[in-house]
Amino acid sequence: MSENTSHHSVALLREPAAGDAEHLDALHAALVSRASAESSVDMTYRLLDSPVGALLLAATGQGVVRVAFEVEDHERVLDALGVSVGSRILRGGDRLDPLARELDDYFAGRRHAFDVPIDLRLARGFRLTVLRHLREIPFGSTESYGEVAAASGSPRAVRAVGTACATNPLPIVVPCHRVVRSDGSLGGYLGGLPAKERLLALEHAVHEGVRP
């Protein structure tokens, strides 16, 4: 693929041009498939409708690298990914189909954990340690920020746990919504408190045997 194609800007292939939509979609899918096979893109992405709003899903060749809520501003997220992951970004392809299916199953109450490969390159140090622990918190359960800090090897690092949750690049997949304050109140959430409430309510209902 020529250096003069779409790889200079993350915005270039975000929306198809006007015209024969079906033909353009086929051409675009072929372009994404070819580019991915030739390892000439850094990342692909897609949007997914969900009960907590539109989610931006992004993946590298190593795995899912980002899940972003609408309130995070998808355009801003893509721009940031263009700097941190690489500017060769294409929309489409089938790389994110497995995650889309798992998210659909999760919101339908049929899935309690995610099996897709993930790419945690956007987290380092203690934040990475925290994110790895979050994946161990069982579906339908919660832990306090203090409990997560202790489990992550730094009992006094409660604020750092809050920062790790607030900057989690893979919310829902890495379940930072299961971290609450010691008094049981929700604390913060990068997707907004209504999203956190809905996720916890869904998991509680499924855990109690009630359909979401």
Side-chain angles (χ1 to χ4, degrees):
M1 183 176 293
S2 167
E3 287 296 327
N4 293 321
T5 59
S6 63
H7 299 329
H8 300 303
S9 169
V10 298
L12 198 55
L13 285 177
R14 287 182 188 170
E15 297 294 342
D20 186 342
E22 184 176 346
H23 181 60
L24 286 174
D25 286 346
L27 287 175
H28 186 65
L31 173 62
V32 174
S33 178
R34 177 179 175 183
S36 299
E38 294 174 354
S39 299
S40 56
V41 296
D42 297 310
M43 187 182 71
T44 60
Y45 78 96
R46 64 176 288 184
L47 298 179
L48 179 73
D49 289 331
S50 84
V52 290
L55 298 173
L56 171 72
L57 314 179
T60 66
Q62 286 70 52
V64 181
V65 73
R66 191 73 166 87
V67 174
F69 292 98
E70 207 165 359
V71 296
E72 297 181 72
D73 187 343
H74 291 164
E75 290 292 322
R76 183 186 62 79
V77 171
L78 283 172
D79 288 340
L81 288 170
V83 174
S84 59
V85 176
S87 61
R88 302 176 300 175
I89 300 175
L90 289 177
R91 178 173 182 168
D94 57 6
R95 183 180 286 173
L96 286 155
D97 287 353
L99 176 59
R101 287 192 294 269
E102 291 192 8
L103 282 167
D104 285 343
D105 287 344
Y106 169 81
F107 285 114
R110 296 188 298 265
R111 171 172 289 274
H112 295 181
F114 294 88
D115 299 324
V116 292
I118 62 174
D119 182 347
L120 286 171
R121 72 176 70 188
L122 299 178
R124 293 179 175 82
F126 183 67
R127 292 184 187 182
L128 179 58
T129 301
V130 169
L131 297 188
R132 286 173 173 161
H133 172 70
L134 296 185
R135 303 192 80 195
E136 299 174 4
I137 302 177
F139 180 95
S141 300
T142 60
E143 288 186 6
S144 70
Y145 291 96
E147 288 172 328
V148 173
S152 300
S154 299
R156 297 184 179 181
V158 176
R159 285 191 177 182
V161 169
T163 299
C165 291
T167 57
N168 176 13
L170 293 170
I172 305 177
V173 176
V174 176
C176 56
H177 61 275
R178 295 175 191 160
V179 183
V180 298
R181 291 175 175 164
S182 57
D183 62 3
S185 60
L186 294 183
Y189 191 56
L190 75 169
L193 289 184
K196 187 171 187 175
E197 290 174 341
R198 185 151 193 174
L199 293 171
L200 290 174
L202 180 152
E203 294 189 5
H204 177 74
V206 174
H207 190 69
E208 294 298 316
V210 181
R211 293 182 64 85

